[in-house]
Amino acid sequence: MGFDEDYQREVLEPARAAGDQPPEDLRLRYALPDRLDPDAVAARVRLVRQCWRRSRGQLKYRRLIDR
């Protein structure tokens, strides 16, 4: 599976089930690894934001991503 599918399954779907509330914990919201490396964090945030842009076109994720 690609990053988008994994991220949607692990982060967006549970957040959607919780009333379209994104996780407060930024580690969960951005699916960050336990060990934080500045370059890895920047790369992950870039991937997540790209996923948000692509997923926003799907009506079921729009409200969640807008928040």
Side-chain angles (χ1 to χ4, degrees):
M1 281 190 183
F3 177 81
D4 283 8
E5 292 85 11
D6 291 341
Y7 184 80
Q8 287 174 350
R9 185 182 70 250
E10 295 170 9
V11 179
L12 293 181
E13 282 300 327
R16 208 174 134 243
D20 289 324
Q21 292 297 321
E24 293 293 325
D25 184 357
L26 294 179
R27 285 179 180 258
L28 293 175
R29 186 180 300 186
Y30 289 97
L32 296 173
D34 291 334
R35 181 180 149 101
L36 297 177
D37 170 20
D39 294 331
V41 170
R44 178 58 59 105
V45 169
R46 187 172 34 257
L47 284 173
V48 168
R49 292 180 57 92
Q50 289 172 351
C51 178
W52 288 349
R53 281 192 292 274
R54 287 187 291 268
S55 297
R56 190 172 183 280
Q58 298 177 26
L59 187 56
K60 68 181 183 177
Y61 295 127
R62 183 168 292 164
R63 180 182 292 164
L64 171 63
I65 292 171
D66 285 346
R67 287 186 179 180

